[in-house]
Each structure stands twice: as structure tokens, then as C-alpha cells.
């Protein structure tokens, strides 16, 4: 494992923790009926998850031309 890959994994772990926190906050807002805050938490969770998806691409081995992504 390279040091760069380790740093990327560390950042992914942090980002996924944020996703979980936003999801938990969104769940709490849904339970109390605060739709405005719920929508905010969902958007934040989605943005964090998209950031993680981009980081994961840096850990994938490069694909040969014509190969499909998993």
C-alpha cells in the first residue's frame, strides 16, 4: 500500500463519518417533522457521499481500454 492510498482511505473514512452524521441528523429531523432541516441534512449527506465516490476512483487500478467498470 502506498502512502497516498493510505491518505485517501483516511479521508474516505472521515467523509463517511460525516455522511453518517448527516444521515442521523436527517433522521432526527424527519422524526420531529422539520422538513426544511431534513432537506438540508439530506443534501449535505448526498454531497459528502458524492465526494467519497470521487475519492474511491483514485484507489481503483487503472482500467485497460475497453474494460468495463465494476
Amino acid at each position: 500500500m502506498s502512502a497516498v492510498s493510505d491518505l485517501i482511505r483516511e479521508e474516505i473514512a472521515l467523509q463517511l463519518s460525516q455522511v453518517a452524521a448527516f444521515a442521523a441528523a436527517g433522521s432526527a429531523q424527519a422524526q420531529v417533522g422539520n422538513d426544511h432541516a431534513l432537506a438540508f441534512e439530506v443534501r449535505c449527506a448526498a454531497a459528502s457521499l458524492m465526494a467519497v465516490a470521487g475519492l474511491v476512483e483514485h484507489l481503483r487500478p487503472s482500467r485497460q481500454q475497453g474494460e468495463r467498470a465494476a
Side-chain angles (χ1 to χ4, degrees), residues 3-59:
V4 172
S5 293
D6 290 342
L7 289 173
I8 292 171
R9 284 186 196 89
E10 190 175 310
E11 182 61 25
I12 289 171
L14 289 171
Q15 289 287 332
L16 287 174
S17 293
Q18 283 192 321
V19 170
F22 288 130
S27 178
Q29 296 303 329
Q31 289 175 0
V32 298
N34 187 340
D35 294 337
H36 180 75
L38 169 60
F40 174 78
E41 298 296 349
V42 168
R43 285 191 303 273
C44 289
S48 292
L49 194 54
M50 291 302 294
V52 167
L55 286 173
V56 167
E57 291 300 316
H58 294 288
L59 295 176

mmCIF file of all heavy atoms in Angstrom, residues 3-59:
data_model
loop_
_atom_site.group_PDB
_atom_site.id
_atom_site.type_symbol
_atom_site.label_atom_id
_atom_site.label_comp_id
_atom_site.label_asym_id
_atom_site.label_seq_id
_atom_site.Cartn_x
_atom_site.Cartn_y
_atom_site.Cartn_z
ATOM 1 N N ALA A 3 1.602 5.369 0.495
ATOM 2 C CA ALA A 3 1.240 6.409 1.460
ATOM 3 C C ALA A 3 0.073 7.250 0.939
ATOM 4 O O ALA A 3 -0.791 7.659 1.715
ATOM 5 C CB ALA A 3 2.453 7.297 1.741
ATOM 6 N N VAL A 4 0.047 7.481 -0.363
ATOM 7 C CA VAL A 4 -1.043 8.266 -0.949
ATOM 8 C C VAL A 4 -2.364 7.517 -0.791
ATOM 9 O O VAL A 4 -3.376 8.098 -0.406
ATOM 10 C CB VAL A 4 -0.759 8.585 -2.434
ATOM 11 C CG1 VAL A 4 -1.961 9.234 -3.098
ATOM 12 C CG2 VAL A 4 0.465 9.469 -2.567
ATOM 13 N N SER A 5 -2.357 6.225 -1.071
ATOM 14 C CA SER A 5 -3.571 5.416 -0.908
ATOM 15 C C SER A 5 -4.038 5.421 0.532
ATOM 16 O O SER A 5 -5.245 5.479 0.802
ATOM 17 C CB SER A 5 -3.325 3.978 -1.372
ATOM 18 O OG SER A 5 -3.111 3.935 -2.758
ATOM 19 N N ASP A 6 -3.109 5.357 1.458
ATOM 20 C CA ASP A 6 -3.468 5.396 2.873
ATOM 21 C C ASP A 6 -4.127 6.723 3.238
ATOM 22 O O ASP A 6 -5.107 6.751 3.982
ATOM 23 C CB ASP A 6 -2.240 5.167 3.750
ATOM 24 C CG ASP A 6 -1.721 3.744 3.677
ATOM 25 O OD1 ASP A 6 -2.470 2.842 3.231
ATOM 26 O OD2 ASP A 6 -0.558 3.527 4.067
ATOM 27 N N LEU A 7 -3.608 7.810 2.708
ATOM 28 C CA LEU A 7 -4.199 9.128 2.971
ATOM 29 C C LEU A 7 -5.602 9.231 2.363
ATOM 30 O O LEU A 7 -6.513 9.800 2.977
ATOM 31 C CB LEU A 7 -3.305 10.236 2.416
ATOM 32 C CG LEU A 7 -1.998 10.479 3.166
ATOM 33 C CD1 LEU A 7 -1.131 11.485 2.424
ATOM 34 C CD2 LEU A 7 -2.287 10.968 4.576
ATOM 35 N N ILE A 8 -5.767 8.675 1.177
ATOM 36 C CA ILE A 8 -7.082 8.701 0.538
ATOM 37 C C ILE A 8 -8.069 7.883 1.362
ATOM 38 O O ILE A 8 -9.190 8.323 1.603
ATOM 39 C CB ILE A 8 -6.999 8.179 -0.913
ATOM 40 C CG1 ILE A 8 -6.204 9.166 -1.774
ATOM 41 C CG2 ILE A 8 -8.391 7.955 -1.493
ATOM 42 C CD1 ILE A 8 -5.869 8.670 -3.164
ATOM 43 N N ARG A 9 -7.657 6.710 1.819
ATOM 44 C CA ARG A 9 -8.535 5.884 2.656
ATOM 45 C C ARG A 9 -8.908 6.607 3.949
ATOM 46 O O ARG A 9 -10.049 6.527 4.413
ATOM 47 C CB ARG A 9 -7.880 4.553 2.969
ATOM 48 C CG ARG A 9 -7.896 3.595 1.809
ATOM 49 C CD ARG A 9 -7.354 2.226 2.210
ATOM 50 N NE ARG A 9 -7.043 1.475 1.015
ATOM 51 C CZ ARG A 9 -5.868 1.503 0.391
ATOM 52 N NH1 ARG A 9 -4.878 2.224 0.871
ATOM 53 N NH2 ARG A 9 -5.684 0.809 -0.701
ATOM 54 N N GLU A 10 -7.956 7.296 4.520
ATOM 55 C CA GLU A 10 -8.212 8.054 5.751
ATOM 56 C C GLU A 10 -9.256 9.149 5.503
ATOM 57 O O GLU A 10 -10.180 9.337 6.302
ATOM 58 C CB GLU A 10 -6.900 8.663 6.249
ATOM 59 C CG GLU A 10 -6.971 9.269 7.619
ATOM 60 C CD GLU A 10 -5.597 9.736 8.089
ATOM 61 O OE1 GLU A 10 -4.637 8.948 8.001
ATOM 62 O OE2 GLU A 10 -5.506 10.883 8.529
ATOM 63 N N GLU A 11 -9.118 9.846 4.385
ATOM 64 C CA GLU A 11 -10.090 10.891 4.038
ATOM 65 C C GLU A 11 -11.459 10.285 3.751
ATOM 66 O O GLU A 11 -12.490 10.849 4.143
ATOM 67 C CB GLU A 11 -9.599 11.697 2.828
ATOM 68 C CG GLU A 11 -10.521 12.820 2.435
ATOM 69 C CD GLU A 11 -10.729 13.875 3.510
ATOM 70 O OE1 GLU A 11 -9.857 14.041 4.388
ATOM 71 O OE2 GLU A 11 -11.779 14.541 3.483
ATOM 72 N N ILE A 12 -11.490 9.147 3.080
ATOM 73 C CA ILE A 12 -12.765 8.469 2.822
ATOM 74 C C ILE A 12 -13.441 8.109 4.135
ATOM 75 O O ILE A 12 -14.653 8.304 4.292
ATOM 76 C CB ILE A 12 -12.554 7.219 1.937
ATOM 77 C CG1 ILE A 12 -12.211 7.657 0.511
ATOM 78 C CG2 ILE A 12 -13.786 6.317 1.959
ATOM 79 C CD1 ILE A 12 -11.765 6.531 -0.398
ATOM 80 N N ALA A 13 -12.681 7.597 5.084
ATOM 81 C CA ALA A 13 -13.253 7.247 6.390
ATOM 82 C C ALA A 13 -13.856 8.478 7.073
ATOM 83 O O ALA A 13 -14.953 8.411 7.629
ATOM 84 C CB ALA A 13 -12.193 6.601 7.279
ATOM 85 N N LEU A 14 -13.150 9.600 7.006
ATOM 86 C CA LEU A 14 -13.672 10.832 7.597
ATOM 87 C C LEU A 14 -14.947 11.292 6.898
ATOM 88 O O LEU A 14 -15.925 11.676 7.554
ATOM 89 C CB LEU A 14 -12.614 11.939 7.539
ATOM 90 C CG LEU A 14 -11.413 11.778 8.461
ATOM 91 C CD1 LEU A 14 -10.353 12.832 8.141
ATOM 92 C CD2 LEU A 14 -11.848 11.885 9.907
ATOM 93 N N GLN A 15 -14.944 11.245 5.582
ATOM 94 C CA GLN A 15 -16.114 11.664 4.821
ATOM 95 C C GLN A 15 -17.316 10.762 5.100
ATOM 96 O O GLN A 15 -18.443 11.241 5.223
ATOM 97 C CB GLN A 15 -15.817 11.673 3.320
ATOM 98 C CG GLN A 15 -14.886 12.766 2.874
ATOM 99 C CD GLN A 15 -15.546 14.128 2.890
ATOM 100 O OE1 GLN A 15 -16.747 14.253 2.734
ATOM 101 N NE2 GLN A 15 -14.752 15.160 3.084
ATOM 102 N N LEU A 16 -17.079 9.449 5.213
ATOM 103 C CA LEU A 16 -18.175 8.533 5.502
ATOM 104 C C LEU A 16 -18.728 8.773 6.909
ATOM 105 O O LEU A 16 -19.931 8.617 7.138
ATOM 106 C CB LEU A 16 -17.737 7.083 5.324
ATOM 107 C CG LEU A 16 -17.551 6.647 3.868
ATOM 108 C CD1 LEU A 16 -16.973 5.243 3.812
ATOM 109 C CD2 LEU A 16 -18.862 6.733 3.100
ATOM 110 N N SER A 17 -17.869 9.176 7.828
ATOM 111 C CA SER A 17 -18.353 9.544 9.160
ATOM 112 C C SER A 17 -19.269 10.759 9.075
ATOM 113 O O SER A 17 -20.286 10.830 9.771
ATOM 114 C CB SER A 17 -17.182 9.848 10.095
ATOM 115 O OG SER A 17 -16.438 8.683 10.345
ATOM 116 N N GLN A 18 -18.914 11.696 8.217
ATOM 117 C CA GLN A 18 -19.776 12.872 8.025
ATOM 118 C C GLN A 18 -21.100 12.487 7.391
ATOM 119 O O GLN A 18 -22.149 13.006 7.780
ATOM 120 C CB GLN A 18 -19.074 13.921 7.164
ATOM 121 C CG GLN A 18 -18.032 14.699 7.910
ATOM 122 C CD GLN A 18 -17.577 15.907 7.122
ATOM 123 O OE1 GLN A 18 -17.427 15.849 5.903
ATOM 124 N NE2 GLN A 18 -17.348 17.000 7.818
ATOM 125 N N VAL A 19 -21.059 11.576 6.420
ATOM 126 C CA VAL A 19 -22.298 11.104 5.804
ATOM 127 C C VAL A 19 -23.207 10.514 6.874
ATOM 128 O O VAL A 19 -24.406 10.804 6.926
ATOM 129 C CB VAL A 19 -22.015 10.072 4.687
ATOM 130 C CG1 VAL A 19 -23.304 9.415 4.214
ATOM 131 C CG2 VAL A 19 -21.293 10.722 3.518
ATOM 132 N N ALA A 20 -22.631 9.684 7.746
ATOM 133 C CA ALA A 20 -23.411 9.058 8.814
ATOM 134 C C ALA A 20 -23.994 10.106 9.763
ATOM 135 O O ALA A 20 -25.156 9.982 10.189
ATOM 136 C CB ALA A 20 -22.544 8.062 9.579
ATOM 137 N N ALA A 21 -23.223 11.121 10.068
ATOM 138 C CA ALA A 21 -23.708 12.179 10.963
ATOM 139 C C ALA A 21 -24.861 12.951 10.319
ATOM 140 O O ALA A 21 -25.870 13.243 10.976
ATOM 141 C CB ALA A 21 -22.566 13.121 11.336
ATOM 142 N N PHE A 22 -24.716 13.286 9.038
ATOM 143 C CA PHE A 22 -25.798 13.980 8.341
ATOM 144 C C PHE A 22 -27.042 13.105 8.265
ATOM 145 O O PHE A 22 -28.166 13.587 8.423
ATOM 146 C CB PHE A 22 -25.367 14.399 6.928
ATOM 147 C CG PHE A 22 -24.387 15.543 6.892
ATOM 148 C CD1 PHE A 22 -23.222 15.446 6.149
ATOM 149 C CD2 PHE A 22 -24.645 16.728 7.565
ATOM 150 C CE1 PHE A 22 -22.328 16.500 6.094
ATOM 151 C CE2 PHE A 22 -23.753 17.794 7.514
ATOM 152 C CZ PHE A 22 -22.586 17.670 6.778
ATOM 153 N N ALA A 23 -26.857 11.814 8.027
ATOM 154 C CA ALA A 23 -27.992 10.895 7.954
ATOM 155 C C ALA A 23 -28.704 10.804 9.302
ATOM 156 O O ALA A 23 -29.940 10.800 9.361
ATOM 157 C CB ALA A 23 -27.529 9.518 7.496
ATOM 158 N N ALA A 24 -27.938 10.728 10.373
ATOM 159 C CA ALA A 24 -28.536 10.668 11.705
ATOM 160 C C ALA A 24 -29.298 11.953 12.019
ATOM 161 O O ALA A 24 -30.419 11.914 12.554
ATOM 162 C CB ALA A 24 -27.459 10.416 12.761
ATOM 163 N N ALA A 25 -28.710 13.081 11.672
ATOM 164 C CA ALA A 25 -29.383 14.357 11.901
ATOM 165 C C ALA A 25 -30.648 14.449 11.051
ATOM 166 O O ALA A 25 -31.690 14.928 11.519
ATOM 167 C CB ALA A 25 -28.437 15.520 11.591
ATOM 168 N N GLY A 26 -30.569 13.976 9.818
ATOM 169 C CA GLY A 26 -31.743 13.980 8.955
ATOM 170 C C GLY A 26 -32.847 13.092 9.499
ATOM 171 O O GLY A 26 -34.037 13.452 9.469
ATOM 172 N N SER A 27 -32.481 11.947 10.030
ATOM 173 C CA SER A 27 -33.457 11.047 10.634
ATOM 174 C C SER A 27 -34.151 11.720 11.817
ATOM 175 O O SER A 27 -35.385 11.628 11.966
ATOM 176 C CB SER A 27 -32.762 9.764 11.082
ATOM 177 O OG SER A 27 -33.671 8.896 11.701
ATOM 178 N N ALA A 28 -33.373 12.396 12.629
ATOM 179 C CA ALA A 28 -33.952 13.106 13.784
ATOM 180 C C ALA A 28 -34.903 14.202 13.321
ATOM 181 O O ALA A 28 -35.981 14.391 13.900
ATOM 182 C CB ALA A 28 -32.842 13.690 14.656
ATOM 183 N N GLN A 29 -34.523 14.918 12.263
ATOM 184 C CA GLN A 29 -35.388 15.986 11.750
ATOM 185 C C GLN A 29 -36.673 15.408 11.159
ATOM 186 O O GLN A 29 -37.748 16.001 11.300
ATOM 187 C CB GLN A 29 -34.650 16.832 10.713
ATOM 188 C CG GLN A 29 -33.461 17.588 11.252
ATOM 189 C CD GLN A 29 -33.802 18.509 12.404
ATOM 190 O OE1 GLN A 29 -34.905 19.046 12.498
ATOM 191 N NE2 GLN A 29 -32.860 18.694 13.309
ATOM 192 N N ALA A 30 -36.574 14.260 10.525
ATOM 193 C CA ALA A 30 -37.771 13.612 9.982
ATOM 194 C C ALA A 30 -38.722 13.208 11.105
ATOM 195 O O ALA A 30 -39.947 13.368 10.983
ATOM 196 C CB ALA A 30 -37.378 12.387 9.163
ATOM 197 N N GLN A 31 -38.159 12.725 12.197
ATOM 198 C CA GLN A 31 -38.989 12.279 13.317
ATOM 199 C C GLN A 31 -39.755 13.429 13.972
ATOM 200 O O GLN A 31 -40.861 13.224 14.460
ATOM 201 C CB GLN A 31 -38.132 11.551 14.351
ATOM 202 C CG GLN A 31 -37.657 10.202 13.862
ATOM 203 C CD GLN A 31 -36.712 9.522 14.829
ATOM 204 O OE1 GLN A 31 -36.396 10.068 15.885
ATOM 205 N NE2 GLN A 31 -36.255 8.332 14.466
ATOM 206 N N VAL A 32 -39.162 14.615 13.966
ATOM 207 C CA VAL A 32 -39.853 15.759 14.585
ATOM 208 C C VAL A 32 -40.645 16.578 13.564
ATOM 209 O O VAL A 32 -41.283 17.561 13.917
ATOM 210 C CB VAL A 32 -38.873 16.676 15.369
ATOM 211 C CG1 VAL A 32 -38.224 15.905 16.501
ATOM 212 C CG2 VAL A 32 -37.858 17.327 14.460
ATOM 213 N N GLY A 33 -40.593 16.178 12.303
ATOM 214 C CA GLY A 33 -41.378 16.847 11.273
ATOM 215 C C GLY A 33 -40.804 18.143 10.747
ATOM 216 O O GLY A 33 -41.528 18.966 10.195
ATOM 217 N N ASN A 34 -39.502 18.342 10.894
ATOM 218 C CA ASN A 34 -38.869 19.571 10.406
ATOM 219 C C ASN A 34 -38.376 19.330 8.975
ATOM 220 O O ASN A 34 -37.242 18.931 8.737
ATOM 221 C CB ASN A 34 -37.706 19.956 11.324
ATOM 222 C CG ASN A 34 -37.120 21.306 10.964
ATOM 223 O OD1 ASN A 34 -37.296 21.805 9.857
ATOM 224 N ND2 ASN A 34 -36.396 21.895 11.903
ATOM 225 N N ASP A 35 -39.259 19.560 8.019
ATOM 226 C CA ASP A 35 -38.949 19.262 6.624
ATOM 227 C C ASP A 35 -37.818 20.103 6.057
ATOM 228 O O ASP A 35 -37.012 19.618 5.256
ATOM 229 C CB ASP A 35 -40.197 19.435 5.758
ATOM 230 C CG ASP A 35 -41.273 18.427 6.098
ATOM 231 O OD1 ASP A 35 -40.941 17.359 6.651
ATOM 232 O OD2 ASP A 35 -42.453 18.713 5.821
ATOM 233 N N HIS A 36 -37.729 21.354 6.465
ATOM 234 C CA HIS A 36 -36.669 22.234 5.970
ATOM 235 C C HIS A 36 -35.297 21.699 6.400
ATOM 236 O O HIS A 36 -34.385 21.562 5.571
ATOM 237 C CB HIS A 36 -36.882 23.658 6.486
ATOM 238 C CG HIS A 36 -35.840 24.620 6.012
ATOM 239 N ND1 HIS A 36 -35.811 25.108 4.727
ATOM 240 C CD2 HIS A 36 -34.783 25.175 6.652
ATOM 241 C CE1 HIS A 36 -34.773 25.919 4.593
ATOM 242 N NE2 HIS A 36 -34.135 25.985 5.750
ATOM 243 N N ALA A 37 -35.145 21.372 7.668
ATOM 244 C CA ALA A 37 -33.872 20.841 8.169
ATOM 245 C C ALA A 37 -33.596 19.457 7.602
ATOM 246 O O ALA A 37 -32.448 19.111 7.312
ATOM 247 C CB ALA A 37 -33.875 20.808 9.694
ATOM 248 N N LEU A 38 -34.641 18.658 7.417
ATOM 249 C CA LEU A 38 -34.478 17.329 6.819
ATOM 250 C C LEU A 38 -33.888 17.444 5.418
ATOM 251 O O LEU A 38 -32.923 16.745 5.076
ATOM 252 C CB LEU A 38 -35.830 16.613 6.774
ATOM 253 C CG LEU A 38 -35.893 15.325 5.951
ATOM 254 C CD1 LEU A 38 -34.922 14.288 6.488
ATOM 255 C CD2 LEU A 38 -37.312 14.800 5.920
ATOM 256 N N ALA A 39 -34.449 18.340 4.620
ATOM 257 C CA ALA A 39 -33.950 18.530 3.257
ATOM 258 C C ALA A 39 -32.490 18.978 3.271
ATOM 259 O O ALA A 39 -31.673 18.506 2.468
ATOM 260 C CB ALA A 39 -34.813 19.547 2.513
ATOM 261 N N PHE A 40 -32.147 19.862 4.195
ATOM 262 C CA PHE A 40 -30.766 20.329 4.314
ATOM 263 C C PHE A 40 -29.824 19.170 4.629
ATOM 264 O O PHE A 40 -28.774 19.010 4.008
ATOM 265 C CB PHE A 40 -30.668 21.402 5.401
ATOM 266 C CG PHE A 40 -29.261 21.837 5.678
ATOM 267 C CD1 PHE A 40 -28.607 22.715 4.829
ATOM 268 C CD2 PHE A 40 -28.565 21.353 6.790
ATOM 269 C CE1 PHE A 40 -27.297 23.123 5.079
ATOM 270 C CE2 PHE A 40 -27.273 21.746 7.038
ATOM 271 C CZ PHE A 40 -26.629 22.635 6.188
ATOM 272 N N GLU A 41 -30.195 18.347 5.606
ATOM 273 C CA GLU A 41 -29.349 17.220 6.007
ATOM 274 C C GLU A 41 -29.192 16.206 4.877
ATOM 275 O O GLU A 41 -28.109 15.653 4.668
ATOM 276 C CB GLU A 41 -29.906 16.543 7.260
ATOM 277 C CG GLU A 41 -29.968 17.430 8.487
ATOM 278 C CD GLU A 41 -28.630 17.910 9.015
ATOM 279 O OE1 GLU A 41 -27.571 17.421 8.585
ATOM 280 O OE2 GLU A 41 -28.639 18.804 9.875
ATOM 281 N N VAL A 42 -30.261 15.973 4.143
ATOM 282 C CA VAL A 42 -30.192 15.039 3.009
ATOM 283 C C VAL A 42 -29.246 15.572 1.940
ATOM 284 O O VAL A 42 -28.422 14.826 1.394
ATOM 285 C CB VAL A 42 -31.594 14.766 2.433
ATOM 286 C CG1 VAL A 42 -31.513 14.034 1.093
ATOM 287 C CG2 VAL A 42 -32.425 13.961 3.424
ATOM 288 N N ARG A 43 -29.341 16.871 1.649
ATOM 289 C CA ARG A 43 -28.435 17.460 0.649
ATOM 290 C C ARG A 43 -26.987 17.380 1.103
ATOM 291 O O ARG A 43 -26.088 17.084 0.304
ATOM 292 C CB ARG A 43 -28.839 18.902 0.347
ATOM 293 C CG ARG A 43 -30.081 19.018 -0.513
ATOM 294 C CD ARG A 43 -30.294 20.438 -1.020
ATOM 295 N NE ARG A 43 -30.372 21.419 0.051
ATOM 296 C CZ ARG A 43 -31.488 21.751 0.702
ATOM 297 N NH1 ARG A 43 -32.631 21.187 0.374
ATOM 298 N NH2 ARG A 43 -31.471 22.666 1.651
ATOM 299 N N CYS A 44 -26.746 17.627 2.380
ATOM 300 C CA CYS A 44 -25.377 17.547 2.909
ATOM 301 C C CYS A 44 -24.850 16.117 2.835
ATOM 302 O O CYS A 44 -23.697 15.888 2.451
ATOM 303 C CB CYS A 44 -25.328 18.056 4.339
ATOM 304 S SG CYS A 44 -25.554 19.833 4.489
ATOM 305 N N ALA A 45 -25.686 15.156 3.198
ATOM 306 C CA ALA A 45 -25.272 13.749 3.137
ATOM 307 C C ALA A 45 -24.961 13.355 1.695
ATOM 308 O O ALA A 45 -23.954 12.684 1.425
ATOM 309 C CB ALA A 45 -26.354 12.847 3.720
ATOM 310 N N ALA A 46 -25.807 13.785 0.775
ATOM 311 C CA ALA A 46 -25.595 13.449 -0.634
ATOM 312 C C ALA A 46 -24.299 14.065 -1.168
ATOM 313 O O ALA A 46 -23.535 13.402 -1.881
ATOM 314 C CB ALA A 46 -26.783 13.922 -1.464
ATOM 315 N N ALA A 47 -24.043 15.308 -0.815
ATOM 316 C CA ALA A 47 -22.814 15.974 -1.274
ATOM 317 C C ALA A 47 -21.578 15.270 -0.721
ATOM 318 O O ALA A 47 -20.598 15.047 -1.448
ATOM 319 C CB ALA A 47 -22.822 17.434 -0.856
ATOM 320 N N SER A 48 -21.619 14.887 0.543
ATOM 321 C CA SER A 48 -20.484 14.177 1.139
ATOM 322 C C SER A 48 -20.282 12.816 0.491
ATOM 323 O O SER A 48 -19.156 12.390 0.241
ATOM 324 C CB SER A 48 -20.691 14.011 2.647
ATOM 325 O OG SER A 48 -20.625 15.256 3.294
ATOM 326 N N LEU A 49 -21.375 12.134 0.208
ATOM 327 C CA LEU A 49 -21.276 10.825 -0.425
ATOM 328 C C LEU A 49 -20.721 10.932 -1.841
ATOM 329 O O LEU A 49 -19.910 10.089 -2.262
ATOM 330 C CB LEU A 49 -22.645 10.148 -0.438
ATOM 331 C CG LEU A 49 -22.673 8.666 -0.757
ATOM 332 C CD1 LEU A 49 -21.753 7.872 0.163
ATOM 333 C CD2 LEU A 49 -24.086 8.147 -0.653
ATOM 334 N N MET A 50 -21.106 11.957 -2.558
ATOM 335 C CA MET A 50 -20.554 12.160 -3.902
ATOM 336 C C MET A 50 -19.055 12.460 -3.844
ATOM 337 O O MET A 50 -18.294 12.012 -4.703
ATOM 338 C CB MET A 50 -21.300 13.286 -4.619
ATOM 339 C CG MET A 50 -22.729 12.932 -4.976
ATOM 340 S SD MET A 50 -22.873 11.466 -6.015
ATOM 341 C CE MET A 50 -22.087 12.043 -7.496
ATOM 342 N N ALA A 51 -18.631 13.186 -2.821
ATOM 343 C CA ALA A 51 -17.203 13.453 -2.653
ATOM 344 C C ALA A 51 -16.453 12.150 -2.414
ATOM 345 O O ALA A 51 -15.367 11.930 -2.969
ATOM 346 C CB ALA A 51 -16.976 14.421 -1.495
ATOM 347 N N VAL A 52 -17.032 11.262 -1.606
ATOM 348 C CA VAL A 52 -16.411 9.963 -1.340
ATOM 349 C C VAL A 52 -16.328 9.147 -2.623
ATOM 350 O O VAL A 52 -15.315 8.505 -2.897
ATOM 351 C CB VAL A 52 -17.193 9.194 -0.249
ATOM 352 C CG1 VAL A 52 -16.762 7.749 -0.177
ATOM 353 C CG2 VAL A 52 -17.011 9.862 1.094
ATOM 354 N N ALA A 53 -17.382 9.178 -3.419
ATOM 355 C CA ALA A 53 -17.384 8.421 -4.672
ATOM 356 C C ALA A 53 -16.240 8.870 -5.577
ATOM 357 O O ALA A 53 -15.604 8.047 -6.237
ATOM 358 C CB ALA A 53 -18.731 8.580 -5.380
ATOM 359 N N GLY A 54 -15.979 10.155 -5.588
ATOM 360 C CA GLY A 54 -14.862 10.659 -6.380
ATOM 361 C C GLY A 54 -13.522 10.203 -5.844
ATOM 362 O O GLY A 54 -12.613 9.868 -6.605
ATOM 363 N N LEU A 55 -13.393 10.159 -4.524
ATOM 364 C CA LEU A 55 -12.132 9.719 -3.929
ATOM 365 C C LEU A 55 -11.872 8.243 -4.175
ATOM 366 O O LEU A 55 -10.729 7.834 -4.391
ATOM 367 C CB LEU A 55 -12.139 9.988 -2.419
ATOM 368 C CG LEU A 55 -11.986 11.437 -1.992
ATOM 369 C CD1 LEU A 55 -12.176 11.564 -0.485
ATOM 370 C CD2 LEU A 55 -10.619 11.962 -2.393
ATOM 371 N N VAL A 56 -12.907 7.441 -4.143
ATOM 372 C CA VAL A 56 -12.749 5.999 -4.350
ATOM 373 C C VAL A 56 -12.141 5.712 -5.717
ATOM 374 O O VAL A 56 -11.365 4.771 -5.873
ATOM 375 C CB VAL A 56 -14.103 5.270 -4.167
ATOM 376 C CG1 VAL A 56 -14.058 3.848 -4.680
ATOM 377 C CG2 VAL A 56 -14.506 5.285 -2.709
ATOM 378 N N GLU A 57 -12.474 6.533 -6.693
ATOM 379 C CA GLU A 57 -11.930 6.336 -8.036
ATOM 380 C C GLU A 57 -10.402 6.389 -8.045
ATOM 381 O O GLU A 57 -9.773 5.753 -8.878
ATOM 382 C CB GLU A 57 -12.509 7.371 -9.008
ATOM 383 C CG GLU A 57 -13.978 7.166 -9.292
ATOM 384 C CD GLU A 57 -14.269 5.807 -9.909
ATOM 385 O OE1 GLU A 57 -13.538 5.381 -10.819
ATOM 386 O OE2 GLU A 57 -15.243 5.176 -9.458
ATOM 387 N N HIS A 58 -9.811 7.116 -7.117
ATOM 388 C CA HIS A 58 -8.352 7.208 -7.053
ATOM 389 C C HIS A 58 -7.722 5.916 -6.536
ATOM 390 O O HIS A 58 -6.517 5.709 -6.698
ATOM 391 C CB HIS A 58 -7.924 8.374 -6.166
ATOM 392 C CG HIS A 58 -8.289 9.704 -6.721
ATOM 393 N ND1 HIS A 58 -7.663 10.259 -7.808
ATOM 394 C CD2 HIS A 58 -9.245 10.583 -6.357
ATOM 395 C CE1 HIS A 58 -8.191 11.423 -8.091
ATOM 396 N NE2 HIS A 58 -9.173 11.644 -7.218
ATOM 397 N N LEU A 59 -8.522 5.060 -5.914
ATOM 398 C CA LEU A 59 -7.990 3.804 -5.381
ATOM 399 C C LEU A 59 -8.126 2.653 -6.362
ATOM 400 O O LEU A 59 -7.481 1.623 -6.185
ATOM 401 C CB LEU A 59 -8.724 3.426 -4.080
ATOM 402 C CG LEU A 59 -8.524 4.386 -2.921
ATOM 403 C CD1 LEU A 59 -9.374 3.943 -1.746
ATOM 404 C CD2 LEU A 59 -7.063 4.476 -2.530
#
